[in-house]
Amino acid sequence: MTDREILPTYVKPTHYTVSVYGIDEEKFTYQGTTKIDLEVREATDEIKLNYRYLTIEQAFLAVEVTKTTYDITSSAIEYDEAVQVVTFKLPQTLPVEASKATLTVIYSGVLNDAMCGFYRSKYTSAEGKPTHMYSTQFESSDARRAFPCFDEPALKATFDFSITVPETWTALSNMPEVSSKPPEDGKKKGVAPTALKTVTFATTPVMSTYLLAWACGDFEYVEGETARLYHGKPLPVKVYTTKGLKQQGEFALSCATKVIDYFSEVFDIDYVLPKLDMIACHEFSHGAMENWGLITYRTTAVLFDEATSDSSYKKRVAYVVAHELAHQWFGNLVTMDWWNELWLNEGFATFAGWLAVDKLFPEWDVFSSFVSESLQDGLALDSLRQSHPIEVPVRSVLDVEQIFDAISYLKGASSIRMISSHLGQETFLKGVSKYLKAHAYGNAHTSDLWDAISEEAGVNVGAMMENWIKKIGYPLLTVTETDAGVSIAQRRFLLTGDVGPEDDTTTWWVPLGIVSGAEAAVFESVSAFEAKDVTVAGLDLDFYKINKNQTGVYRVNYPPARLAKLGQQVDRLSSTDKVGLIADSFHIANACEGSTVGFLSLLEGFRHEESYVVWSQIASRLASLRSAFFEQPTAVRDGLAKFTRDLLKPTFERLGYEFVDGEDYLTARLRALMFEVLGAVRDPDVVAYFQTKFASYAAGDKKALGPNIRSAVFGAVLSDKDCTDASYEAILGELDNPSSVDAKEVTIRSLGKVRRPELVKRSMALILSDKIPTQDLYNMAVSFGGNGDLRWQFWEYVKSDWANLSARLKTNVTIQDHFVRLTIYSFSSQKAYDDITAFFKDKDTREFARSLGQALDKIKAASSWVAKDGADVAAWLKEHGYSE
């Protein structure tokens, strides 16, 4: 297609044979041979493939035409690094009549440390020695870093893979091992054959290049199997780790065996491969990658220890495992045709992942968490002018990384949840099953999905969802109460609050989901509307709420009196509805369409709330408020901190200081949340408790800090302006000798909370040191960018050392994008907007331009918000006794 930068269509791959050998652990290089069976569609005298950072040594074709076989050696090799294409010129034309054509490419590559392609991860062995493991990360366009290929999702093929490694290593790939024997050319490579083995794997199903994977190193594993039978026997499932960590894979393993069975049942399609392996990688830019049959993970997304891990990681592991397993159907079995429909992979895997976690752990109330976190993050990003539609044009695969974001994942998942709730989950999933069966082993479009669900539901789902998928933004429903009933008008919501006619050209199909009356029953008279406004008659005006359980992807702006009344009727609301009410009130105030004072007054109605998820939303919104008002007078900043303390303290005192063995998960999370927030706003009692605990920890008693308060304690200790060198060193020690699999990540997120000038310099200096792995650089930006006391100082540091920072960040575009966005995202003044714009004006920002623009939109909105409501907030805090 002319609107995409794709390879020519005169040949198409049908099968790859990929061999990797000659791994050099000193030079970090390897050699490879790739053979590609081709279907010749048009006569051609050249073949183009994708490549990046590979040295092509030789290329030739074996051709068969009417039973005559001959070889063609490439006469010239041309490289176009800008588009990552290598062209093999042929001395004669490859005819359409070729019944067989196999291209063989011999090449060498680099085992990079950039977490893409075939790369190395540094770690410390169980014996305390620095060493490496090796694995792959190909999505979206990095298979070409590992072997020359047709690196596009629609160009599916089967794969045979083999790798030559030391005898003591474990080698893994998508399919089971079929043989392991000494390599025939061991002597030729300068290594004794008896020291090596060549491991060969079974042929994969038809799949895209980005799903091929392999890993090798000194591994161990825990194993289990499914309860259901596949191909007549339980499916074997293993979690691989480097030596000494395998027991921490038990929780992920227990989740995986159950989730495979669950998805096989609800999609009515059995998991198709003969095994599933999951492996923890010590360096990983994302959370995980869904390679078919060999899922790779960041360690904190797959490993968990009940005794030493922060319990928040338990839900993370369960969800990430479920998300990646959902991809075995959504993405692997059925793949989007091109990256503009990335959401077909990621939106569905996100929604289905939460479905599975809810099935496994119904007591976790995960869809309330989904609304509090996933829905809110999606809505927050989509309220910016420089957001993008769920289905977004992608011209070049080199631009696709910037849409692996909250729109593709979270707005996509929220839109799916919306239509599923409207149609009924059973009907929706039956339609999804039809879609998967119709397009198995192939590529599909969004319209194919809607057609399958429409057939099952008997309604035109495509028409309902068209604007949700293809248009940017979402509506704000403004409610007006009249004698005729409740009038509801929709218009686009922008965080900047300056919606003009040119911005408000979309009319969405909106499911209303109104509950009303003493029993909070669903009001059926008007279930949805597709117009700019509608009037709903017959509601019980004593109580009603729009958007039951927040299944609709929109915000609701109630009249001030109605919002205040709802704040006194919270006992009639589900935890999900409470979350939605709080989030909508906050963001509408942020957009200058509501009142920040009204939001604070609303929160006072939640003093006796018991739900962890509701408190999590309250804490998140108050943190955002304190962050945005970081340059307001001291009285305002201190007043907001005091308001936070006073609001949370009764619940904390009810819970108590000590975690209780056997208490339910959400109670433990609520106590941990209270510790985190009260520590952040420096509650005197909590800080004194932390200091006592930390003194024991620093003296050598590592168990003095329970895993659920480690983050809160580190943050409180470091943010003390009198933090000592000894305290700093004790925390810094977690980087070299972490107390748990998540302790290093927790520590890095704490290091930017320092306030003492000497320690500020030390923490900033760590960013360009080998103490902070590249995968965690954005966690440093989270920490410093989120610290109002240091935000400007950190930005000045970034500007002053941009050349060195940029050089390191550029090695992985995902990390670079996150780092830039998180560094600047929390500013809230015109001064910051102008300074950031001026700095990047002459910089190459192509790889993070979208995120930069979104961050600037956010800053502009926050600047207007603080200017509008700053004085009112100051007056309210004083009037209510929170400030002098």
Side-chain angles (χ1 to χ4, degrees):
M1 295 177 64
T2 56
D3 62 338
R4 299 175 184 170
E5 293 178 0
I6 59 176
L7 294 168
T9 58
Y10 36 68
V11 295
K12 179 181 183 296
T14 60
H15 179 75
Y16 290 79
T17 301
V18 180
S19 302
V20 171
Y21 47 87
I23 293 173
D24 188 324
E25 287 201 272
E26 293 184 357
K27 297 178 180 178
F28 295 119
T29 58
Y30 67 97
Q31 295 172 287
T33 299
T34 295
K35 298 180 180 180
I36 311 174
D37 295 341
L38 301 172
E39 173 190 328
V40 184
R41 295 180 165 184
E42 299 177 38
T44 180
D45 60 1
E46 65 178 22
I47 295 175
K48 292 180 181 287
L49 296 179
N50 295 117
Y51 89 105
R52 193 177 189 193
Y53 304 135
L54 299 175
T55 301
I56 308 297
E57 298 171 6
Q58 189 178 359
F60 57 89
L61 274 166
V63 184
E64 182 178 312
V65 179
T66 60
K67 297 185 179 181
T68 301
T69 302
Y70 57 94
D71 292 337
I72 304 175
T73 300
S74 176
S75 57
I77 302 175
E78 298 177 355
Y79 302 92
D80 189 336
E81 293 185 5
V83 293
Q84 301 173 9
V85 170
V86 57
T87 302
F88 301 115
K89 295 290 187 179
L90 306 178
Q92 63 192 82
T93 299
L94 177 63
V96 177
E97 294 80 8
S99 57
K100 290 184 180 179
T102 300
L103 173 67
T104 298
V105 183
I106 301 171
Y107 63 97
S108 59
V110 176
L111 288 162
N112 68 75
D113 60 356
M115 299 174 288
C116 41
F118 184 23
Y119 73 93
R120 66 186 192 264
S121 293
K122 184 171 62 177
Y123 72 100
T124 302
S125 71
E127 294 77 30
K129 297 179 180 179
T131 188
H132 292 89
M133 63 171 286
Y134 303 90
S135 58
T136 58
Q137 170 58 37
F138 291 164
E139 191 180 29
S140 53
S141 60
D142 284 320
R144 64 191 68 181
R145 285 181 180 246
F147 64 105
C149 57
F150 295 82
D151 202 10
E152 296 172 9
L155 298 179
K156 288 189 167 186
T158 53
F159 293 81
D160 283 328
F161 176 72
S162 65
I163 187 168
T164 302
V165 297
E167 280 185 333
T168 57
W169 284 11
T170 298
L172 305 169
S173 190
N174 306 77
M175 297 294 285
E177 175 185 315
V178 294
S179 69
S180 178
K181 56 188 179 182
E184 295 179 1
D185 59 350
K187 290 181 180 178
K188 185 170 67 178
K189 300 303 176 187
V191 182
T194 54
L196 298 174
K197 61 182 178 184
T198 297
V199 184
T200 302
F201 299 88
T203 305
T204 72
V206 174
M207 66 185 194
S208 305
T209 48
Y210 77 86
L211 294 170
L212 183 65
W214 62 85
C216 54
D218 192 17
F219 303 149
E220 59 182 7
Y221 63 87
V222 290
E223 61 182 323
E225 58 185 26
T226 58
R228 292 176 88 252
L229 300 182
Y230 300 82
H231 313 292
K233 58 185 179 180
L235 184 80
V237 181
K238 296 178 180 177
V239 177
Y240 283 86
T241 70
T242 55
K243 294 289 179 66
L245 296 175
K246 69 176 184 179
Q247 295 306 321
Q248 297 186 55
E250 290 280 6
F251 176 67
L253 178 66
S254 70
C255 292
T257 55
K258 298 180 181 70
V259 171
I260 290 169
D261 286 348
Y262 174 68
F263 285 150
S264 295
E265 291 170 5
V266 297
F267 301 145
D268 194 30
I269 301 172
D270 280 357
Y271 176 83
V272 301
L273 298 192
K275 61 92 175 176
L276 172 71
D277 294 333
M278 306 191 294
I279 184 168
C281 302
H282 285 278
E283 296 187 37
F284 203 81
S285 59
H286 299 71
M289 176 60 206
E290 66 265 21
N291 316 296
W292 214 351
L294 176 60
I295 303 174
T296 47
Y297 294 84
R298 181 180 285 237
T299 55
T300 52
V302 72
L303 303 183
F304 181 80
D305 184 333
E306 289 282 359
T308 63
S309 296
D310 185 320
S311 61
S312 65
Y313 284 89
K314 190 171 191 177
K315 187 176 75 172
R316 171 173 166 75
V317 169
Y319 166 69
V320 176
V321 166
H323 178 106
E324 303 310 324
L325 285 173
H327 273 306
Q328 308 303 294
W329 287 263
F330 290 101
N332 299 8
L333 182 64
V334 180
T335 312
M336 76 266 146
D337 185 69
W338 180 245
W339 298 105
N340 64 304
E341 294 175 302
L342 173 67
W343 89 280
L344 278 174
N345 284 15
E346 299 302 348
F348 266 85
T350 301
F351 172 71
W354 285 119
L355 269 185
V357 176
D358 188 49
K359 176 72 173 179
L360 265 58
F361 304 101
E363 70 279 9
W364 287 4
D365 193 19
V366 297
F367 275 106
S368 289
S369 291
F370 176 90
V371 168
S372 183
E373 299 162 11
S374 301
L375 174 62
Q376 299 311 319
D377 286 351
L379 291 175
L381 180 53
D382 207 32
S383 66
L384 304 176
R385 273 200 168 81
Q386 297 196 52
S387 179
H388 62 83
I390 288 175
E391 190 173 296
V392 56
V394 176
R395 177 171 178 78
S396 169
V397 72
L398 306 184
D399 297 327
V400 75
E401 290 298 329
Q402 293 188 66
I403 64 167
F404 279 83
D405 62 8
I407 301 301
S408 299
Y409 284 72
L410 305 182
K411 187 187 177 187
S414 299
S415 299
I416 292 164
R417 177 172 174 261
M418 176 171 66
I419 192 63
S420 174
S421 298
H422 183 77
L423 298 176
Q425 187 170 295
E426 183 178 353
T427 298
F428 176 79
L429 289 175
K430 284 182 178 178
V432 168
S433 177
K434 284 186 176 181
Y435 161 78
L436 291 170
K437 290 174 180 176
H439 301 282
Y441 303 105
N443 299 84
H445 298 280
T446 298
S447 59
D448 297 320
L449 174 66
W450 298 150
D451 288 347
I453 298 173
S454 296
E455 183 181 342
E456 185 65 34
V459 296
N460 189 342
V461 175
M464 293 175 176
M465 298 304 294
E466 176 83 4
N467 287 342
W468 289 105
I469 303 304
K470 296 192 174 182
K471 296 294 179 68
I472 190 173
Y474 60 88
L476 172 70
L477 304 191
T478 298
V479 178
T480 305
E481 296 176 2
T482 68
D483 292 340
V486 174
S487 176
I488 304 170
Q490 65 158 294
R491 65 185 177 94
R492 184 179 171 191
F493 179 74
L494 283 174
L495 196 62
T496 46
D498 53 352
V499 179
E502 69 281 5
D503 302 309
D504 191 29
T505 58
T506 301
T507 301
W508 286 270
W509 166 79
V510 179
L512 283 170
I514 303 174
V515 290
S516 178
E519 302 300 321
V522 176
F523 187 81
E524 299 286 1
S525 296
V526 181
S527 62
F529 76 109
E530 190 170 3
K532 280 297 182 184
D533 56 74
V534 66
T535 297
V536 181
L539 287 179
D540 183 342
L541 294 185
D542 178 62
F543 170 79
Y544 70 88
K545 182 192 176 291
I546 297 169
N547 200 8
K548 176 179 171 59
N549 290 328
Q550 301 302 115
T551 57
V553 186
Y554 53 82
R555 300 200 185 281
V556 180
N557 190 9
Y558 295 99
R562 175 60 54 183
L563 182 64
K565 189 166 186 176
L566 283 169
Q568 301 304 312
Q569 296 174 319
V570 292
D571 57 312
R572 301 193 193 187
L573 302 176
S574 67
S575 59
T576 312
D577 281 328
K578 293 174 186 176
V579 165
L581 193 66
I582 294 163
D584 284 0
S585 175
F586 173 83
H587 284 95
I588 290 168
N590 191 348
C592 300
E593 305 242 16
S595 161
T596 307
V597 164
F599 165 72
L600 292 171
S601 298
L602 176 68
L603 293 189
E604 291 197 301
F606 289 89
R607 288 184 182 276
H608 303 293
E609 178 59 46
E610 296 184 357
S611 166
Y612 159 72
V613 179
V614 176
W615 275 118
S616 178
Q617 181 62 205
I618 292 170
S620 178
R621 300 285 68 88
L622 283 174
S624 297
L625 178 59
R626 295 194 306 274
S627 179
F629 280 59
F630 80 107
E631 292 181 290
Q632 290 297 290
T634 301
V636 173
R637 290 184 281 116
D638 290 349
L640 288 172
K642 186 176 189 304
F643 174 75
T644 303
R645 290 194 297 271
D646 287 1
L647 190 65
L648 271 64
K649 199 66 178 287
T651 296
F652 177 71
E653 289 174 344
R654 173 178 61 82
L655 290 169
Y657 282 77
E658 301 302 325
F659 290 85
V660 180
D661 289 341
E663 70 183 348
D664 67 88
Y665 176 78
L666 292 182
T667 298
R669 291 310 311 147
L670 179 55
R671 184 182 289 104
L673 174 69
M674 293 291 152
F675 271 127
E676 189 79 39
V677 179
L678 290 171
V681 295
R682 303 202 68 77
D683 178 83
D685 297 332
V686 169
V687 170
Y689 176 78
F690 285 173
Q691 288 171 341
T692 300
K693 289 286 187 181
F694 185 77
S696 298
Y697 166 86
D701 180 8
K702 298 300 182 183
K703 293 183 179 180
L705 291 187
N708 286 323
I709 65 168
R710 185 187 295 125
S711 172
V713 172
F714 284 0
V717 169
L718 290 170
S719 63
D720 187 334
K721 65 181 184 301
D722 296 319
C723 178
T724 65
D725 289 348
S727 294
Y728 185 85
E729 289 292 344
I731 293 172
L732 204 62
E734 290 283 350
L735 298 183
D736 295 322
N737 298 293
S739 303
S740 68
V741 70
D742 53 56
K744 189 170 186 175
E745 188 170 287
V746 166
T747 301
I748 291 170
R749 283 180 177 258
S750 300
L751 287 171
K753 296 180 180 179
V754 288
R755 294 171 66 200
R756 187 177 143 216
E758 297 85 354
L759 299 182
V760 171
K761 292 178 182 178
R762 288 189 63 184
S763 282
M764 288 186 184
L766 288 171
I767 293 174
L768 290 175
S769 76
D770 59 5
K771 287 278 190 183
I772 308 297
T774 301
Q775 70 167 5
D776 287 313
L777 285 174
Y778 73 88
N779 280 321
M780 293 293 281
V782 168
S783 189
F784 279 111
N787 183 345
D789 292 326
L790 286 185
R791 196 169 291 154
W792 273 105
Q793 187 175 343
F794 182 58
W795 171 235
E796 293 299 329
Y797 160 77
V798 168
K799 290 193 296 181
S800 68
D801 211 4
W802 177 250
N804 290 323
L805 274 171
S806 180
R808 187 175 185 195
L809 291 167
K810 277 182 177 294
T811 61
N812 188 284
V813 294
T814 299
I815 302 298
Q816 175 183 238
D817 181 275
H818 291 353
F819 184 92
V820 171
R821 175 173 56 86
L822 293 164
T823 294
I824 63 177
Y825 200 68
S826 296
F827 280 107
S828 54
S829 66
Q830 186 65 41
K831 173 187 173 184
Y833 183 96
D834 293 341
D835 192 70
I836 293 163
T837 301
F839 177 74
F840 283 114
K841 186 176 182 180
D842 61 350
K843 307 293 187 298
D844 179 6
T845 63
R846 173 178 170 172
E847 292 176 333
F848 54 87
R850 191 186 296 273
S851 286
L852 176 62
Q854 291 164 352
L856 288 168
D857 274 357
K858 166 72 165 48
I859 295 167
K860 183 177 181 181
S863 176
S864 298
W865 174 35
V866 173
K868 171 183 173 289
D869 280 6
D872 289 345
V873 169
W876 187 89
L877 291 169
K878 184 175 182 180
E879 179 185 344
H880 288 75
Y882 297 112
S883 66
E884 296 296 327

